[in-house]
Amino acid sequence: MSAIAVTADRRPAWRRLIGFNLLTGIVLGIVGWLIGDEIGKAIHAPSLDYYSDSAGQNDISILLGYLFGVIGFLIGLGFANYPVRRLLGHPPTLAEHEDEGEGVGRYFRLCTDHKVVAIQYIIGIGVFFLVGGINAMLIRTELLQPNTHVFGANQYLTLVGMHGAMMMGMMTSVILGPFANWLVPLMIGTRRMAFPRIEAFTFWLLMAAGVILVTTIFFGGFQTGWTGYAPLSDQGTAGYDAYIGFFALIGVSMCLLGFNLLATIITMRAPGMTWSRLPIFVWSVVATAVLMLLAAPMLIATLLMAALDRTAQTAFFIPGNGGSPYLYQNLFWVFGHPEVYIVALPGFGIVLELLPVFSRKPLWGYRLAVAGMLGVSLLSFFVWQHHLFVSGINADLRPFYMLSTELISLPTGFIFLCAMGTIWRGRIRFTVPMLFCLGWVFNFLIGGISGVFLSDVPSDVTTHGSFFSMAHFHYTIMGGLVFTLFAAIYYWGPKMFGVRFNDRLSKIHFWSLFIAFNSTFAPLFALGMLGMPRRVVTYPANLQPLNDWVSVSAFVIGLSMIVFLVNLVWSLVLKREPADPNPWRSKSLEWQLPTPVPLHDFDTFPVFDEDPYPYGVERPGPPAFAPAGGAG
Amino acid sequence: MDDVNHFRRLCLVWLLASVIATPLVVFVLAPGLPPGNGSVQASGQVVDNAVLLGVSTPVALAVLVYFFYALVAFRERDQSAVLDGPPVRGHSGVQTTWLVVTTAIVLFLAAYGSIRMLEDGSGGGQGPNPIAKPTGAAGALQVQVIAQQWKFTYRYPSYGGLETADLELPAHRVVALHVTSLDVIHSFWAYQLGVKADANPGVDNIAYVQTKGPLTFNVHCAELCGVWHGYMFERGRVVAQSQFAAWIHQQQQQYAPVQKSLVPYSKQYFPDPQRRGG
Amino acid sequence: MEASAPAAAHIEPEPREWQPRALWVGARLLCGAAAFFFMAFVFAYFYLRSLDVNKSWKIGSVNVPFGFGLAIAVALVLSAVLLRLATSRPEKVVALGVGALGLALLAVVLQVIEWTTLGFGPASGGYASVFIGWTAFYAVFAVTSAYWIETQVATAWRSQREGVRQRRHEGVVGDDRELLSAGLEACSFFWAFYVAIGVVAFVILYVV
Ligand SMILES: [Cu+2]
């Protein structure tokens, strides 16, 4: 298969556990935590105990514990080896542990093969997606009854915060992590990312971040929700430090992911892959990566300010000492609104990438779609104060933010128009990925229309901060991101994993998810209009029937996810029916490769002479290239 | 069937659906929607929502009808062979029309929303220097809303800075609510009055409301403010002018002993930075 | 290990200009990220200053030692100039690089001394917060950048001693020369940009 001679590892199993791998990483992570904790305790002096700390915890030692823990974890994984070699003047290399065979072991250590990193991402993020999902189930369990409580108020808010942070933080990479890392090199005709070590680094950092967020439960949780508003954060228990650690690492990971993707797409396109032939998914990656690269640093800075307020007595957000809570809100949303589009944009790309395949037509309005994505990307930096319409910040600027927010619906409208143009007179096939794309169309339409009410100040006065806005962003994020994520999994899964999914289970998954999703979130618009604020542990008794309906529907979403897991286990582990190399008869490059994709992707680089949508015309053939291990 | 015929049929279905659905939404559904007619601002929001719904219903229907039509009309009937559709890559007329129509809609929405907001403030918090004032704002009754973990108290500067635990407002009066906080960020949401304004420590966030007839309204904190955020709710009342005068008088009597030890009325209070905890 | 895999004869090598260009582009992208990071502090400075919440922009006498700031800024600028000069003088990379590295570290050391001798603390109002936060994270990333400079110097030094290595990585032909000079260019560009941020910090925090 592979062009590279692979030497099988014949060492006994226990021997193979020793070395730079996940196990060592965990051990050194714990050691690092202990070291950081001790240093923190040594620094912590009575003079720094200026602000009373309700939990009796020492924020400095906890934050240093996280910092050193992450450093230990990364050293254990082997991330320090190359930097140390470089420190000693050894010349640069591009990869690490790529050629270690086909074993399972490479998934548990630093590996710079973009296909391995993609699989690591999908499994690793999947685990935390599950955690976030279980949080949601627990939240809905609590809300079954207004006055009988399953959880305490603090536990409940911690669940809400963890759910939000997990879904808004870690899930920013849920499409770019697995699919951009896997697809971008194959789509633009290269064998790797520009900086393969950074690619692996973003993944392992994300895993460390996820674990840190979960540790909040040992330190009293956090009460601030995923937005972490100051000055509530300043009085928060030590669990808030976990939020800071989590989100700051997510920010670093996001920034580097965007950086790496941009560098790759800008410099490493194969001959003939001009900007106007770039697959539309790659364009959506460009638009997203720009936002990641530029918006995430602001988040990191903001969280570091919050950390300084909690540990070093600065007063960025403390009004009595010359700081301002408005500062936090501004900085957070300058990051936060682009962040919303970081979550949404890859979905646009997936829908527009898949519709041509299942309509058997070229993408309609390619330039318009590109303009739409870049337009959304650019405009998203100018709308942040629409989160603050009633906060009293710059009230005079509200007409401007109303306009800029509503202007975003123009480029978003382009995406819809291109989707509509693409299916017109096509030969539409209702495969599972196609169903998820159509689900996106419906959900995102509702999400977009409900957004109009939130962008309009008079209407926003009632809907702001209520379940209405909660329903709105679940329609755009869950209805947008999660549906396109599943579209991508069902579409590219056969290529990535080399197996076919069970069609019946996949269809059950789609229909149950689609119906339960709408049945969960549509009533939330009503609940918001009826006066139910977000993040409350109790509510008026007359809202109970509606809340119960929502909760039961949410449990059906949970069941639907179980169907998906069963499908995964059945198809990937038990049945393992080999997939057709090109089951969808797609004309784009990644489907012309053998399944599974060989270690070095291509022997010769492809030469492109048109975009990947030559449907309805006689094409001379797939791009000229030799797949790895092929004829060459 | 050719493009033009498909398109004609499609437009017909859409027109029919819009003509039936839009009036239903605007005239039947929208007037009954919250926040109701508890105040001039609340009624304004209802009208505003009706306009937004009136614009968005045909737009949503256009997309939905289009997709339903296209998915049914252009579905692949022959599953055995993989045949391609026509290689159409765009249509400049359609693209231009779409751009013009959506731009027009967006500009209309933004303009309409701004005009509505500037008319009477729409009940939203506008910071210390509001620009959107309702008529009669100059003679408004000043009421300060002080949020703290986890309750609201109210001060009436025109009645000697009287601080009460309950909110009562006179009917048919312009009221300026000065919303502020003593600790973290809260949000004062008087649901039936259509008022929402964030309470920030050290900030005087003003929201105007023109009350109508007597009414009991719900007050809820709408910004996560700590553990007991969910329990930060209560009731307020709009009562007739005479009743309000009597109530104020009674409150002044009741709180007279406490009044002396209160800090003087101020538009902003700063929490002690050393006491971050609630 | 990464360099041991023999490139099979029929694998078409990667275009040799890809990685140098990726370094060139990467340095510019990093500058964007760094700019946005410190933009948060610029925003905080002007925002808190304009609000002057609770009349606490500066509590008590908050005066920064201008001389320290100037010394740090000058050390940084000189360091950037030396490193930039090194890109066009391949034979003097080690000497110039060591100079640049020394000046960068000197700036950090001066910064640390300044903190310990400041007449105010982090709790002395909005200005003090921004000053401490901005300089602290500037110093942290300056140390990280110094590491990057060190790797360039060390690589240049080693390649002068041991000769330039053939690039053995799978699918890439040629030797390391292009990659090394691209790495130095990227490093010096980023460092120059970062120093420019430092000069902006000096102007805003000490002069304005
Ligand atoms: Cu509250």
Side-chain angles (χ1 to χ4, degrees):
Chain A
M1 275 301 290
S2 166
I4 300 301
V6 172
T7 44
D9 193 346
R10 293 210 176 73
R11 292 173 300 167
W14 67 268
R15 247 323 256 113
R16 271 182 265 165
L17 289 178
I18 297 170
F20 292 105
N21 56 32
L22 179 58
L23 186 66
T24 319
I26 292 171
V27 172
L28 289 191
I30 294 169
V31 172
W33 162 272
L34 294 172
I35 295 171
D37 197 48
E38 286 306 315
I39 296 175
K41 280 178 188 145
I43 295 174
H44 186 74
S47 67
L48 285 175
D49 215 1
Y50 184 57
Y51 305 111
S52 70
D53 198 316
S54 47
Q57 300 278 4
N58 171 354
D59 294 310
I60 297 176
S61 72
I62 289 170
L63 282 170
L64 284 181
Y66 287 138
L67 182 65
F68 282 70
V70 170
I71 292 172
F73 175 68
L74 294 172
I75 290 175
L77 276 162
F79 277 100
N81 301 352
Y82 178 70
V84 169
R85 281 205 304 278
R86 296 282 282 139
L87 199 65
L88 300 176
H90 290 285
T93 61
L94 296 179
E96 206 152 306
H97 297 299
E98 256 189 34
D99 308 325
E100 291 207 339
E102 315 268 302
V104 196
R106 63 198 164 137
Y107 294 106
F108 294 95
R109 55 176 98 95
L110 193 183
C111 178
T112 49
D113 180 355
H114 71 99
K115 300 184 290 298
V116 173
V117 176
I119 304 287
Q120 286 175 329
Y121 253 113
I122 206 164
I123 304 292
I125 289 200
V127 169
F128 287 107
F129 185 71
L130 210 63
V131 173
I134 290 170
N135 287 337
M137 296 294 117
L138 297 178
I139 291 168
R140 286 316 315 180
T141 310
E142 166 63 44
L143 291 178
L144 275 168
Q145 285 272 346
N147 287 317
T148 318
H149 297 297
V150 185
F151 303 103
N154 187 39
Q155 266 177 321
Y156 173 79
L157 286 181
T158 302
L159 283 173
V160 170
M162 272 175 76
H163 169 76
M166 211 55 111
M167 296 310 195
M168 289 305 286
M170 187 164 284
M171 296 313 138
T172 48
S173 306
V174 76
I175 287 182
L176 289 208
F179 293 101
N181 276 322
W182 200 84
L183 282 168
V184 163
L186 297 183
M187 281 180 157
I188 65 175
T190 174
R191 298 191 184 111
R192 59 179 177 90
M193 297 289 269
F195 302 100
R197 278 192 192 80
I198 289 181
E199 186 190 9
F201 182 71
T202 60
F203 166 73
W204 289 106
L205 211 53
L206 219 56
M207 293 302 103
V211 172
I212 287 177
L213 182 63
V214 175
T215 60
T216 186
I217 53 179
F218 302 116
F219 303 111
F222 62 104
Q223 299 76 31
T224 57
W226 82 277
T227 48
Y229 275 5
L232 180 60
S233 63
D234 293 310
Q235 56 167 252
T237 52
Y240 185 79
D241 297 328
Y243 167 90
I244 293 179
F246 163 80
F247 234 144
L249 291 184
I250 292 284
V252 177
S253 170
M254 240 198 280
C255 177
L256 291 176
L257 180 63
F259 160 80
N260 202 1
L261 284 165
L262 276 179
T264 309
I265 296 169
I266 292 173
T267 55
M268 297 171 63
R269 282 166 290 126
M273 179 46 84
T274 57
W275 288 105
S276 58
R277 289 178 187 155
L278 222 49
I280 198 69
F281 175 70
V282 179
W283 269 115
S284 78
V285 171
V286 171
T288 315
V290 171
L291 294 181
M292 284 182 154
L293 176 77
L294 299 180
M298 288 226 148
L299 168 75
I300 304 168
T302 312
L303 291 167
L304 290 176
M305 289 178 194
L308 283 181
D309 272 10
R310 284 170 66 85
T311 55
Q313 308 174 31
T314 57
F316 284 100
F317 310 130
I318 296 159
N321 263 0
S324 168
Y326 281 165
L327 177 62
Y328 184 91
Q329 290 183 318
N330 269 314
L331 287 174
F332 185 84
W333 288 116
V334 172
F335 150 77
H337 204 84
E339 204 259 1
V340 174
Y341 284 98
I342 289 173
V343 171
L345 273 167
F348 297 1
I350 285 173
V351 170
L352 292 187
E353 188 69 40
L354 266 54
L355 285 181
V357 179
F358 297 115
S359 308
R360 312 298 308 164
K361 275 186 68 206
L363 175 62
W364 192 92
Y366 178 91
R367 274 157 200 276
L368 201 64
V370 174
M373 288 167 180
L374 297 181
V376 167
S377 195
L378 181 72
L379 275 176
S380 70
F381 277 108
F382 300 96
V383 299
W384 81 90
Q385 286 199 355
H386 69 213
H387 294 269
L388 306 166
F389 275 156
V390 296
S391 68
I393 294 179
N394 307 341
D396 313 356
L397 290 179
R398 287 181 298 170
F400 166 76
Y401 283 103
M402 214 188 298
L403 177 64
S404 66
T405 305
E406 285 164 1
L407 276 179
I408 281 209
S409 59
L410 293 183
T412 315
F414 294 173
I415 308 295
F416 272 90
L417 180 65
C418 294
M420 288 157 75
T422 304
I423 61 169
W424 184 254
R425 296 194 71 95
R427 308 187 72 101
I428 298 163
R429 288 164 179 270
F430 295 96
T431 59
V432 175
M434 181 66 170
L435 290 177
F436 275 102
C437 287
L438 296 173
W440 174 90
V441 169
F442 183 80
N443 298 337
F444 211 83
L445 179 67
I446 304 216
I449 298 261
S450 59
V452 171
F453 291 81
L454 290 160
S455 69
D456 179 272
V457 173
S459 178
D460 180 65
V461 170
T462 289
T463 48
H464 172 86
S466 76
F467 264 47
F468 187 95
S469 72
M470 212 269 264
H472 158 72
F473 68 72
H474 277 84
Y475 259 96
T476 55
I477 293 169
M478 182 158 182
L481 175 79
V482 175
F483 273 69
T484 51
L485 169 68
F486 283 122
I489 291 176
Y490 284 113
Y491 180 73
W492 283 295
K495 187 55 107 184
M496 291 171 85
F497 299 107
V499 298
R500 187 182 300 184
F501 288 112
N502 180 308
D503 198 51
R504 174 167 302 181
L505 283 175
S506 308
K507 282 199 165 129
I508 296 176
H509 175 215
F510 168 74
W511 285 110
S512 58
L513 182 64
F514 183 70
I515 293 166
F517 166 78
N518 279 289
S519 158
T520 304
F521 291 102
L524 292 185
F525 287 120
L527 275 174
M529 287 301 254
L530 288 170
M532 184 159 165
R534 291 168 64 183
R535 298 153 162 173
V536 288
V537 69
T538 183
Y539 52 84
N542 63 327
L543 297 182
Q544 196 188 343
L546 214 46
N547 266 299
D548 286 354
W549 173 276
V550 169
S551 287
V552 171
S553 303
F555 299 146
V556 178
I557 294 183
L559 286 178
S560 159
M561 293 299 174
I562 291 176
V563 172
F564 172 67
L565 288 180
V566 169
N567 192 359
L568 272 192
V569 173
W570 172 261
S571 308
L572 284 182
V573 184
L574 300 177
K575 192 85 176 176
R576 292 204 67 84
E577 205 180 330
D580 189 324
N582 190 359
W584 319 113
R585 303 286 173 266
S586 165
K587 296 201 176 180
S588 89
L589 177 65
E590 75 273 17
W591 291 104
Q592 315 309 325
L593 293 164
T595 300
V597 179
L599 192 56
H600 296 110
D601 304 344
F602 329 97
D603 279 0
T604 65
F605 285 98
V607 179
F608 295 89
D609 52 7
E610 57 187 333
D611 72 12
Y613 313 110
Y615 297 98
V617 286
E618 279 305 314
R619 181 181 177 142
F625 75 103
Chain B
M1 216 163 34
D2 63 357
D3 272 354
V4 177
N5 275 331
H6 274 306
F7 193 67
R8 256 190 217 140
R9 272 176 43 179
L10 179 59
C11 286
L12 205 66
V13 179
W14 169 69
L15 212 61
L16 205 66
S18 299
V19 166
I20 296 169
T22 312
L24 279 178
V25 168
V26 174
F27 297 110
V28 181
L29 174 71
L33 280 183
N37 293 308
S39 72
V40 172
Q41 277 68 16
S43 307
Q45 290 176 28
V46 173
V47 173
D48 185 83
N49 278 335
V51 171
L52 295 191
L53 281 170
V55 174
S56 47
T57 306
V59 173
L61 280 175
V63 176
L64 288 179
V65 166
Y66 181 93
F67 268 91
F68 274 111
Y69 185 90
L71 293 179
V72 173
F74 308 128
R75 72 185 186 281
E76 180 60 277
R77 293 175 179 83
D78 175 13
Q79 294 295 331
S80 54
V82 181
L83 299 171
D84 288 357
V88 187
R89 283 172 175 270
H91 187 291
S92 58
V94 172
Q95 287 168 339
T96 313
T97 314
W98 176 278
L99 188 59
V100 170
V101 172
T102 50
T103 308
I105 295 174
V106 161
L107 291 180
F108 166 75
L109 286 178
Y112 177 76
S114 300
I115 290 166
R116 266 241 61 91
M117 180 196 87
L118 291 171
E119 202 174 294
D120 58 14
S122 292
Q126 306 188 54
N129 307 303
I131 46 162
K133 297 180 184 179
T135 43
L141 171 71
Q142 311 289 317
V143 179
Q144 185 172 49
V145 178
I146 303 172
Q148 57 186 299
Q149 287 169 323
W150 286 273
K151 61 177 183 285
F152 291 106
T153 53
Y154 308 92
R155 289 190 88 163
Y156 293 80
S158 41
Y159 296 92
L162 164 74
E163 180 161 6
T164 69
D166 305 292
L167 179 57
E168 269 195 35
L169 300 173
H172 304 289
R173 181 86 195 264
V174 182
V175 180
L177 295 156
H178 297 254
V179 184
T180 188
S181 164
L182 298 184
D183 38 46
V184 303
I185 302 175
H186 303 263
S187 190
F188 173 76
W189 183 11
Y191 174 65
Q192 284 86 346
L193 298 183
V195 169
K196 193 177 281 153
D198 280 8
N200 290 274
V203 175
D204 179 32
N205 190 12
I206 301 174
Y208 288 104
V209 61
Q210 291 161 282
T211 56
K212 290 186 174 179
L215 167 82
T216 304
F217 56 88
N218 299 339
V219 171
H220 210 303
C221 176
E223 184 57 66
L224 182 51
C225 57
V227 180
W228 303 112
H229 163 62
Y231 289 92
M232 197 163 157
F233 57 83
E234 62 192 47
R235 289 255 160 124
R237 289 198 299 160
V238 176
V239 295
Q241 294 274 1
S242 56
Q243 213 180 328
F244 175 74
W247 176 80
I248 278 282
H249 185 70
Q250 180 263 325
Q251 294 286 306
Q252 278 171 322
Q253 306 272 303
Q254 184 182 336
Y255 287 110
V258 196
Q259 202 67 24
K260 283 180 242 118
S261 55
L262 278 181
V263 284
Y265 177 82
S266 159
K267 288 198 170 166
Q268 44 192 6
Y269 309 92
F270 284 97
D272 175 3
Q274 293 202 39
R275 231 190 93 257
R276 297 189 188 191
Chain C
M1 294 310 290
E2 72 291 338
S4 62
H10 62 272
I11 291 189
E12 183 189 354
E14 190 176 291
R16 57 190 301 166
E17 72 275 11
W18 273 5
Q19 196 60 21
R21 268 178 55 208
L23 285 167
W24 192 92
V25 170
R28 273 78 188 161
L29 294 176
L30 272 188
C31 291
F36 270 74
F37 180 87
F38 287 102
M39 204 118 86
F41 288 93
V42 177
F43 181 82
Y45 178 91
F46 287 106
Y47 196 68
L48 293 183
R49 183 183 157 125
S50 69
L51 287 180
D52 194 9
V53 182
N54 205 13
K55 302 277 168 287
S56 298
W57 168 241
K58 290 185 176 178
I59 302 174
S61 71
V62 174
N63 296 310
V64 279
F66 183 83
F68 259 115
L70 191 64
I72 293 168
V74 168
L76 287 172
V77 171
L78 285 178
S79 168
V81 168
L82 288 187
L83 198 63
R84 204 61 195 158
L85 282 177
T87 55
S88 53
R89 287 173 182 67
E91 71 289 351
K92 284 191 186 160
V93 168
V94 176
L96 290 169
V98 167
L101 183 61
L103 283 164
L105 292 177
L106 174 68
V108 174
V109 170
L110 283 174
Q111 182 64 70
V112 173
I113 296 173
E114 185 190 14
W115 289 330
T116 55
T117 55
L118 271 185
F120 59 89
S124 311
Y127 172 80
S129 302
V130 176
F131 179 83
I132 300 284
W134 192 341
T135 54
F137 292 111
Y138 190 84
V140 168
F141 292 119
V143 171
T144 322
S145 309
Y147 160 78
W148 194 6
I149 299 172
E150 198 281 344
T151 62
Q152 300 308 313
V153 178
T155 323
W157 169 75
R158 192 176 278 270
S159 69
Q160 278 175 14
R161 256 186 17 159
E162 299 175 2
V164 175
R165 189 196 60 156
Q166 287 296 115
R167 262 155 89 181
R168 286 164 296 173
H169 176 254
E170 169 270 318
V172 182
V173 287
D175 60 34
D176 271 339
R177 205 160 300 151
E178 278 172 6
L179 204 52
L180 294 189
S181 65
L184 181 63
E185 196 281 338
C187 176
S188 69
F189 184 87
F190 177 79
W191 181 236
F193 186 87
Y194 193 75
V195 164
I197 294 177
V199 173
V200 171
F202 168 70
V203 172
I204 290 181
L205 291 175
Y206 293 84
V207 182
V208 175

